[in-house]
Amino acid sequence: MSALDVRDRERIDLSEVMRSLALPGLALLLAAAALTGLTRGAAEISAGDVLGILWSFLWGPEGVDPVSYAIVLEIRMPRVLLGGMVGATLAVSGAVLQALFRNPLAEPSIIGVSAGAGAAAVTMIVLGAAFGAMSAILLYALPVAAFAGGFVATMIVVAVARVNGQTPMTTILLSGIAVAALGSAIMGLMMFISNDEQLRSITFWMLGSLGGATWATILPAVAIMSVILLAMPVLMYKLNLMLLGEREAASLGLNVDRFKYLCVALVAAGVGAAVAVSGTIGFVGIVVPHLLRMVVGPDHRILLPASALGGAALLLWADVVARTLAPPAELPIGVLTALLGAPFFLWLLRRAAREGTSW
């Protein structure tokens, strides 16, 4: 066996080891992020006390400080659950879109899904209050409106880009930019006619935040976001077929058009619900799947669950940083993910240009 063969064999063995350790490692990273999120804040609570409170929640609230019990379960637990669900949904949505369009640049915020969901949600906030809608109705109407906005935006992009049965990625990205600009214009118009209280709420909401998480506000959105995560076992095998090309996938028995619309509907539902409760948080859907694809490969049987774990862990750690970097102020989490994601996106474009990749 030549030296080149030995190096290739060692490289293959290392890749197999990394793939086998990826899911357990990401699960540990997520668990550490969740525990840190429950311990850090204005009132420091030790990890041992948090674990004791969780144990007491399961077996009866005895022997724990009632104030710490309320802080952990009523304030921090909804925030951690929301952050994990939003991160997982955005990352899985990005992985699905990248496989669907066969391009690593596809991401909910880049192709206009987030802007469409945001425009619909902001419109619901302003016009719902103007018509005197009850807050209880807005609670459930906001995720539904965001889903509708994301779905309509995605369908516009797909309809405009689809020519003679083909959907060129360049046209999709340009269409996404136009739809995102339209969504931003609608949000600007809503901000123009909103009152001061609504304007402050919308401005912070547009930057992304998990600060408004309560059990009452997150449960409808978490239920919607769970749909795309529960659909992963169905998606992973068919997305692997899509990697072969639409014609090859169809020859293997996949109804390509129906599957595309199913994926678009799931992504719009998940991203719309995420935007409705956490605002626009960009770049998670492009950074996480692309990094993990380098580690675990393109097989969606591993990539999708890895993206869910990685996205949840990334957003929870970003939330911890946002809460602790400049206390008592809280940085918008969307700003942190953009600071991480934008340079990565530029590096991705630069690498593609060097390698002569055609989008």
Side-chain angles (χ1 to χ4, degrees), residues 2 10 60 78 145 182 188 229 290 303 311 352:
S2 67
E10 290 176 347
L182 179 61
L229 300 179
H290 196 75
L303 181 61

Side-chain angles (χ1 to χ4, degrees), residues 83-93 228-229 284 307-309 311-312 315:
M85 288 297 295
V86 169
T89 300
L90 293 178
V92 170
S93 297
I228 190 170
L229 300 179
V284 175
S307 296
L309 293 172
L315 209 59

Side-chain angles (χ1 to χ4, degrees), residues 163-253:
V163 179
N164 297 326
Q166 302 294 320
T167 50
M169 194 60 211
T170 303
T171 312
I172 289 176
L173 292 177
L174 293 176
S175 303
I177 291 172
V179 170
L182 179 61
S184 299
I186 293 174
M187 284 189 276
L189 178 63
M190 290 299 110
M191 292 173 68
F192 180 75
I193 65 175
S194 62
N195 57 37
D196 290 342
E197 182 180 353
Q198 291 170 339
L199 184 60
R200 284 193 296 272
S201 174
I202 292 172
T203 301
F204 191 72
W205 177 83
M206 289 177 65
L207 297 176
S209 173
L210 303 176
T214 65
W215 287 117
T217 57
I218 71 168
L219 287 181
V222 166
I224 297 175
M225 285 187 281
S226 300
V227 173
I228 190 170
L229 300 179
L230 293 175
M232 283 196 303
V234 176
L235 297 177
M236 54 181 60
Y237 294 100
K238 295 182 178 179
L239 287 174
N240 281 348
L241 293 180
M242 290 294 289
L243 292 180
L244 302 174
E246 293 187 12
R247 186 172 301 173
E248 289 77 7
S251 68
L252 292 172

Side-chain angles (χ1 to χ4, degrees), residues 282-283 286-287 335-349:
F283 291 106
I286 191 170
V287 172
V335 173
L336 291 178
T337 58
L339 287 173
L340 172 67
F344 180 81
F345 189 70
L346 293 173
W347 170 80
L348 189 61
L349 288 174

Side-chain angles (χ1 to χ4, degrees), residues 282-309:
F283 291 106
V284 175
I286 191 170
V287 172
V288 174
H290 196 75
L291 280 177
L292 291 175
R293 192 177 289 108
M294 290 190 237
V295 176
V296 303
D299 188 345
H300 290 87
R301 292 173 299 177
I302 300 177
L303 181 61
L304 288 189
S307 296
L309 293 172

Side-chain angles (χ1 to χ4, degrees), residues 112-131 133 137-154 156 179-191 193 202 205-206 268-269 271-277 279-280:
V113 182
S114 298
V122 169
T123 303
M124 179 60 67
I125 290 174
V126 176
L127 298 186
F131 284 108
I137 297 177
L138 279 177
L139 187 66
Y140 296 96
L142 206 55
V144 174
F147 159 68
F151 185 78
V152 170
T154 309
I156 291 174
V179 170
L182 179 61
S184 299
I186 293 174
M187 284 189 276
L189 178 63
M190 290 299 110
M191 292 173 68
I193 65 175
I202 292 172
W205 177 83
M206 289 177 65
V271 174
V275 169
V277 290
T280 51

